[in-house]
């Protein structure tokens, strides 16, 4: 008789992770729930919201009759996520702590705790995302430490796992998973990847999980960036000043999820794909140009509004999320380009000006 596969599911105290654990239980897996405490925050009544979320997660485990564990990553969160957030903010950049938290906390600290301390065969979360592996293939994965270096994935890892968008395109969360390591992704299940949010709520209602249904969407400290910055950036939608639009940016060294870098980009030094820099924004067609240091130039087919250094440019090819890089530099705005063209026209019409007297506008930032 085959021993039940052990899956450790991250529980936030919300409906998505609760239903993820329920679905894993239904599939016959041995499921353990783990609540991560990453931050100490009080609500308007002075109640610690993390403690309340922990109680809700514990109650989910009681209802599902599965073991419950709590771990604290407050120190790790401060060192790896919030310190970066403050540093970026002080530099005038627009950080995204959600992406950084998934990279360093959920898919590193939690992942290793589940595998090394709890003996997990796989981990699971309530993210709306999919991978290219079937469940049984996930359990067959063995730990593969990837070599360092720009082309570390060219020959060393066979059949790399792809990160794919969820069936519910509106709820898709691959944007926030774009910095997750291949090692963690190979052993991760996303039970909600093929479901809609409406159906997830229906499952919760039919399985005694009403206490998580009554809660608002999870808005922990990971969402500080989205709440304070993204909404601010997207205000004043009627403002269409050319100074807000740019079609060129340069990223940090890109984290490629499945293939580093993609074969087409290595071969041609350029590649067409799509990108977004905010969750749920429409994908923008673009052309990537690979630099020797692993950074890329991103040239959008049309100018994009509200780009800002510190955000992540997340790249897509069809349903696949290829990876992401932090935006470090921006090309000239449409306003500057228009001024340059105007000056160039005046210059060419004036006497005594030779050819090529206009400003250089190429990607030489």
């Amino acid at each position: 008789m085959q021993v039940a596969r052990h899956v450790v599911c991250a529980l936030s105290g919300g409906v998505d992770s609760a239903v993820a654990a329920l679905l894993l239980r239904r599939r016959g897996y041995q499921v353990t729930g783990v609540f991560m405490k990453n931050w100490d925050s009080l609500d308007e009544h002075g109640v610690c919201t993390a403690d309340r979320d922990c109680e809700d997660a514990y109650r989910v485990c009681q209802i599902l009759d599965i073991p419950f564990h709590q771990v604290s990553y407050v120190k790790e969160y401060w060192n790896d996520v919030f310190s970066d957030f403050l540093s970026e903010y002080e530099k005038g950049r627009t950080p995204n702590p959600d992406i950084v938290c998934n990279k360093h906390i959920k898919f590193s600290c939690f992942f290793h705790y589940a595998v090394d301390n709890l003996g997990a065969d796989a981990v699971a979360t309530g993210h709306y995302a999919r991978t290219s592996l079937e469940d049984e293939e996930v359990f067959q994965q063995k730990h593969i430490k990837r070599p360092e270096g720009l082309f570390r994935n060219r020959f060393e890892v066979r059949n790399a796992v792809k990160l794919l968008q969820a069936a519910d395109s509106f709820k898709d969360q691959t944007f926030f998973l774009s910095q997750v390591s291949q090692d963690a992704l190979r052993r991760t299940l996303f039970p909600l990847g093929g479901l809609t949010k409406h159906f997830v709520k229906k499952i919760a209602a039919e399985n005694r999980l009403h206490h998580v249904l009554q809660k608002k969407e999870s808005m922990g400290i990971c969402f500080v960036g989205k709440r304070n910055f993204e909404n601010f950036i997207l205000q004043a939608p009627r403002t269409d000043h050319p100074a807000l639009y740019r079609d060129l940016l340069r990223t940090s060294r890109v984290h490629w999820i499945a293939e580093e870098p993609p074969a087409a980009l290595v071969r041609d030094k350029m590649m067409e794909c799509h990108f977004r820099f905010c969750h749920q924004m429409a994908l923008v067609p673009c052309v990537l140009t690979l630099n020797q240091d692993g950074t890329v130039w991103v040239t959008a087919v049309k100018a994009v509004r509200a780009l800002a250094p510190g955000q992540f440019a997340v790249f897509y090819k069809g349903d696949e999320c290829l990876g992401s890089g932090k935006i470090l530099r921006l090309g000239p705005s449409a306003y500057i380009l228009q001024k340059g063209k105007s000056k160039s026209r005046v210059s060419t019409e004036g006497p005594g000006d030779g050819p090529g007297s206009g400003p250089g506008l190429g990607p030489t930032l």
Side-chain angles (χ1 to χ4, degrees), residues 209-224:
L209 295 171
H210 300 281
H211 71 290
V212 293
L213 267 177
Q214 298 165 0
K215 299 179 67 172
K216 295 180 180 179
E217 290 292 311
S218 177
M219 291 294 284
I221 194 65
C222 283
F223 289 83
V224 165

Side-chain angles (χ1 to χ4, degrees), residues 9-10 12 14-21 23 27 102 106-107 124-132 162-178 180 185 188-205 212-213 215-218 223 226 257 276 279-280 314 316 319-321:
C9 185
S12 66
V15 63
D16 292 331
S17 59
V19 172
L23 295 176
R27 293 177 193 174
N102 279 325
K106 295 176 185 172
F107 290 89
T125 72
H127 286 99
Y128 288 81
R130 298 178 298 127
T131 73
S132 56
K162 297 178 180 180
L163 177 63
L164 306 175
Q165 294 188 77
D168 187 340
S169 58
F170 181 75
K171 286 298 296 180
D172 174 65
Q173 292 175 307
T174 52
F175 178 85
F176 300 118
L177 300 170
S178 60
V180 172
L185 196 63
T188 298
L189 302 175
F190 297 115
L192 308 188
L195 307 180
T196 63
K197 181 74 174 192
H198 175 76
F199 191 59
V200 167
K201 289 182 175 180
K202 186 173 183 290
I203 293 173
V212 293
L213 267 177
K215 299 179 67 172
K216 295 180 180 179
E217 290 292 311
S218 177
F223 289 83
K226 184 159 64 173
I257 294 173
R276 61 166 52 112
H279 176 47
Q280 293 181 337
V314 182
Y316 292 83
D319 282 343
E320 182 182 0
C321 177

